[in-house]
Amino acid sequence: MVEPVGPYNPVVMDHFMHPKNMGEIEDADAIGEAVNPVCGDSMRLFIKVVDDRIVESRFLTFGCGAAIASSSITTEMIKGKTLDEVLRIRDQDVVDALGGLPAAKLHCSVLAEMALSAAVAVYRKRRGG
Ligand code: FES
C-alpha cells in the first residue's frame, strides 16, 4: 500500500524517510514488544542499559509512516535517560517531539510508549527488580 504522505510535517517526514536507529541490537539487555490495538501494527524496541541509563536503542517497526517516525524519534528521546525518566514519556510527548501528527494518526505514537514501557519491564524483570 502506498503511504499517503501529504498530512505529515517535515519533522515526521524526515524520521519516516530517514529513520534513526532502525534495526536490532544483537546483545540487547531487553526487548520491548507492542502491538497497536487500533490497527495491529507492531514495534520491537531494543535497549542497552548501563547504570540504569539507556545508552543505546534501536527499533523494528511494522507500521505506517507515523509509527516509524514515532519509533525513530523515541530512540533519540530516550538516549542517556534513566529508566525512571523514560517511563514518564507519554505518547503525547512523542507527538510533541514530532511537531504534531494528523488527528487520524495520533494513535500511532502509542506504539512507542507501549514498547518503551515493555522494554523497561523486561529489563527490570531480568534484573529481578
Ligand atoms: S496505522 Fe498502525 S501504527 Fe499507524
Side-chain angles (χ1 to χ4, degrees):
M1 190 179 95
V2 176
E3 180 75 23
V5 295
Y8 294 141
N9 72 41
V11 179
V12 178
M13 281 303 296
D14 186 44
H15 280 276
F16 172 28
M17 302 301 287
H18 310 285
K20 314 289 187 296
N21 306 309
M22 193 163 68
E24 302 183 27
I25 299 176
E26 284 198 6
D27 58 344
D29 292 316
I31 304 171
E33 301 186 69
V35 177
N36 191 319
V38 177
C39 61
D41 289 343
S42 64
M43 173 179 178
R44 299 183 86 199
L45 180 70
F46 304 75
I47 58 171
K48 293 280 286 178
V49 180
V50 174
D51 292 338
D52 227 39
R53 235 171 244 285
I54 296 193
V55 293
E56 186 184 357
S57 68
R58 299 183 75 79
F59 76 93
L60 286 178
T61 293
F62 298 95
C64 67
I68 290 166
S70 297
S71 305
S72 170
I73 205 159
T74 296
T75 59
E76 295 204 313
M77 290 167 72
I78 64 177
K79 191 163 185 191
K81 288 196 167 67
T82 67
L83 299 181
D84 283 340
E85 285 169 342
V86 302
L87 283 179
R88 288 198 286 273
I89 293 174
R90 293 288 166 264
D91 60 301
Q92 186 60 47
D93 299 316
V94 176
V95 173
D96 291 346
L98 286 170
L101 283 173
K105 290 286 178 181
L106 285 173
H107 72 93
C108 308
S109 62
V110 175
L111 203 52
E113 180 190 323
M114 289 167 61
L116 187 51
S117 60
V120 174
V122 167
Y123 177 79
R124 286 186 164 162
K125 194 171 177 193
R126 276 188 180 172
R127 287 292 173 113

